[in-house]
Amino acid sequence: MLLKYSLLFALFILLTACHSTGQKTEDSSSAAKGSTTMSNTENDSYSFKTFMVGQYWGYDIYKDNQLLIHQSNIPAMEGSQGFSSEEKAISVAHLAMKKLRNGIMPPTIRREELDSLKAME
């Protein structure tokens, strides 16, 4: 089952990477509700931005200011529900970026990791 989710996540990453970065992925009403949190150091090419979709939070991860991952739902979970708080989205975005920095692509997030971060509802 984990393999199934890993393959689906990998497909999602490929589709996201092919997505034009010039195209908006949120509508203007959700963008107005969103919050931007960037994480980027001088020697780090990864950054992230949180956003709101309805009442839930998600995150985008960028490499060299190019969209790499658009995560509007909780990874490793069935369904399309996002994070219940911005803090939860931020903690998982940090974990995904840590994996990317360590050469793990796709940066698959396991259910156990979500549980340890208290990122699941």
Side-chain angles (χ1 to χ4, degrees):
M1 184 170 239
L2 182 61
L3 179 62
K4 176 183 168 185
Y5 287 115
S6 295
L7 290 173
L8 286 173
F9 186 72
L11 179 62
F12 175 77
I13 294 295
L14 287 173
L15 291 173
T16 302
C18 294
H19 182 74
S20 170
T21 59
Q23 184 179 7
K24 276 284 202 194
T25 54
E26 309 110 30
D27 64 18
S28 60
S29 63
S30 66
K33 295 179 196 173
S35 172
T36 302
T37 306
M38 299 300 284
S39 173
N40 200 355
T41 63
E42 221 175 274
N43 298 326
D44 188 11
S45 60
Y46 291 102
S47 62
F48 73 94
K49 173 183 161 187
T50 60
F51 59 88
M52 265 190 110
V53 178
Q55 62 186 16
Y56 297 107
W57 289 91
Y59 61 84
D60 290 331
I61 294 180
Y62 298 86
K63 180 172 182 173
D64 298 321
N65 297 317
Q66 182 176 9
L67 182 64
L68 185 61
I69 298 171
H70 176 74
Q71 191 69 48
S72 59
N73 59 320
I74 301 174
M77 299 288 295
E78 292 183 26
S80 59
Q81 182 175 331
F83 297 96
S84 61
S85 71
E86 183 180 25
E87 292 77 21
K88 291 177 182 182
I90 290 170
S91 67
V92 177
H94 279 288
L95 176 60
M97 288 192 314
K98 179 180 178 182
K99 289 183 176 203
L100 289 166
R101 287 181 191 112
N102 288 323
I104 301 171
M105 183 60 172
T108 305
I109 306 295
R110 296 186 329 259
R111 197 176 190 105
E112 296 83 13
E113 293 170 316
L114 292 172
D115 194 35
S116 72
L117 292 171
K118 300 183 183 346
M120 297 189 298
E121 289 230 333

